[in-house]
Amino acid sequence: MKIRAGLMLGATILLTGCAHVNDAAKPGNSNSGFEPKHLGKSDIDRVADIHRREVFSSLKALAEKLYRRNPKEWKKGGFASREEALSQLLDPRTGWRLPALNGKRGTEAILLALSADYTGDRVAVFIAGTGDMLNAAFDEKTEFFMLDSLTPQKLYNSARNLEIAAWKLANARDMEGNLLLLSNDIANEAQPANLSFEREFGKMIANLDLLSQTMSERGNRTIVRISHSIATAAFLPVLSF
């Protein structure tokens, strides 16, 4: 049900984005923000731009929420504030930065962030690894033009990896049984449930699934769909696809 709700939300984002594209194309619209480069974009390219922007907006929200709930992590980097740590982690253009991780990238970095013996900034590594994987799914492009063609399987694999990453984030614990990173909260007598992390993951998953389906139909390509148990599943290839 949660994934279905996320897909419905993603569909709303897609329809809204298409409406904006159509409004921008109307003659005499002084607020269209038209640029010469738009001549090299099809409607699908603009939709892909919107999906990428929404995905990395959710990634930024996740970084902010994780640092807010886990202030000890940004302090490991010697930063004076959460905002300073975020400015080093998030790039205005690409949406993320990849710190030095001894050669680990993508899902390997996610696993590193959630390993019990890791002593560095878990939030930075988790977000950087996720951003690296997502960037690979979008072919390391920040916007798209007519000659660009995204691979639907990479987008689909990234969506499934986000499901796995979300589960691992909510369940990874140290040797004493304490959560490595605080995220969602279950409702109790003292406070209501906090599912804001789950919602951000759901939005990213919905955007990727919708875009993968769009690209599949555009290029008449088949997506190999995986049936798996999130708790035991291994990450699917994206960077090496």
Side-chain angles (χ1 to χ4, degrees):
M1 291 295 292
K2 292 173 182 175
I3 298 300
R4 184 177 299 173
L7 287 171
M8 291 177 65
L9 175 61
T12 301
I13 293 171
L14 175 60
L15 293 173
T16 302
C18 289
H20 287 328
V21 168
N22 290 335
D23 287 343
K26 292 177 181 178
N29 188 347
S30 60
N31 296 320
S32 65
F34 177 80
E35 298 179 23
K37 68 179 180 179
H38 292 164
L39 294 173
K41 289 178 178 286
S42 68
D43 285 348
I44 294 297
D45 297 321
R46 294 177 183 178
V47 168
D49 286 346
I50 292 170
H51 278 295
R52 187 192 185 283
R53 185 166 62 247
E54 291 298 321
V55 164
F56 278 89
S57 176
S58 287
L59 183 66
K60 178 181 178 181
L62 275 176
E64 293 172 341
K65 291 175 183 294
L66 283 170
Y67 269 147
R68 192 178 297 275
R69 290 224 64 198
N70 303 273
K72 67 178 182 180
E73 298 302 322
W74 61 258
K75 292 177 181 177
K76 291 177 181 178
F79 298 109
S81 66
R82 181 179 66 251
E83 291 74 19
E84 183 180 344
L86 284 168
S87 69
Q88 296 299 311
L89 177 61
L90 302 173
D91 184 276
R93 188 179 67 88
T94 63
W96 62 283
R97 288 192 179 97
L98 187 66
L101 300 174
N102 297 323
K104 294 186 182 298
R105 296 183 56 192
T107 54
E108 289 185 345
I110 294 174
L111 290 173
L112 176 63
L114 299 177
S115 60
D117 57 351
Y118 184 66
T119 58
D121 183 343
R122 296 181 185 277
V123 172
V125 177
F126 183 88
I127 295 298
T130 304
D132 191 34
M133 178 194 69
L134 294 171
N135 189 50
F138 284 98
D139 288 339
E140 301 187 3
K141 295 181 173 67
T142 57
E143 61 179 320
F144 305 93
F145 298 90
M146 289 182 184
L147 296 180
D148 296 324
S149 179
L150 292 171
T151 306
Q153 191 68 53
K154 290 169 67 174
L155 297 164
Y156 174 86
N157 286 5
S158 290
R160 305 290 74 75
N161 286 348
L162 285 177
E163 292 174 345
I164 298 169
W167 188 90
K168 290 183 180 297
L169 174 65
N171 291 278
R173 298 175 182 271
D174 61 20
M175 298 300 293
E176 285 73 42
N178 302 308
L179 287 169
L180 295 176
L181 286 173
L182 299 177
S183 54
N184 292 318
D185 272 330
I186 300 175
N188 56 47
E189 295 179 355
Q191 62 183 23
N194 171 18
L195 301 178
S196 60
F197 293 85
E198 186 173 309
R199 286 194 292 271
E200 295 302 336
F201 275 110
K203 287 191 285 186
M204 288 193 289
I205 292 166
N207 272 288
L208 290 168
D209 276 336
L210 282 167
L211 187 56
S212 69
Q213 186 62 39
T214 300
M215 292 300 168
S216 174
E217 293 179 2
R218 181 194 196 189
N220 195 27
R221 288 185 284 181
T222 301
I223 298 173
V224 178
R225 301 186 181 278
I226 309 296
S227 178
H228 63 278
S229 170
I230 295 176
T232 58
F235 285 118
L236 300 176
V238 177
L239 271 69
S240 58
F241 191 86

